[in-house]
Amino acid sequence: MPSRVDALKRAKDLVAALEAMEEYQVPQEWFSFHEETKDLISRRGRGREQLAYSVPEELALRERVALYCVENENPGAGNLVAAVLDSFLRSHGYPPPSKPTKS
């Protein structure tokens, strides 16, 4: 049986998901980087993990990301992928997990 704490956390996560969806109602806005994400990826010394997925070679994603980085102030391929994927997921109602609150 779920506890009140579990139900409260789930409710907060659902509220955050709804707010994330509202934030990106204009189709072009889902592609803008969230302020928290921009801040997070700009900081040095952050923990990083590899994100490996197989994608169709025909999309030439590695080459296109590398070219974008060369032509646009080199945000770094990992930062670009993280920010774009984060924007997409936020726009579809999947924000990062809410930070636990101290009680």
Side-chain angles (χ1 to χ4, degrees):
M1 181 163 148
S3 70
R4 286 186 182 187
V5 174
D6 294 337
L8 181 59
K9 181 176 180 342
R10 181 65 182 139
K12 287 179 180 179
D13 289 344
L14 289 172
V15 168
L18 289 171
E19 288 172 350
M21 290 178 72
E22 288 176 5
E23 185 175 355
Y24 294 99
Q25 289 302 307
V26 177
Q28 290 75 21
E29 287 183 10
W30 75 264
F31 194 67
S32 61
F33 299 161
H34 192 275
E35 287 302 316
E36 290 175 13
T37 304
K38 282 196 279 190
D39 178 55
L40 182 67
I41 63 177
S42 69
R43 287 191 246 152
R44 300 230 181 252
R46 299 298 305 175
R48 299 270 176 161
E49 64 182 0
Q50 291 292 320
L51 181 66
Y53 284 91
S54 61
V55 296
E57 289 179 12
E58 293 83 4
L59 293 177
L61 292 176
R62 286 181 188 235
E63 294 83 1
R64 292 164 56 202
V65 167
L67 182 59
Y68 178 87
C69 288
V70 167
E71 294 178 353
N72 293 277
E73 301 179 24
N74 191 14
N79 287 341
L80 179 63
V81 170
V84 170
L85 189 53
D86 176 67
S87 296
F88 175 82
L89 291 170
R90 284 177 189 270
S91 72
H92 287 81
Y94 297 92
S98 59
K99 296 178 181 118
T101 56
K102 296 179 181 178
S103 358

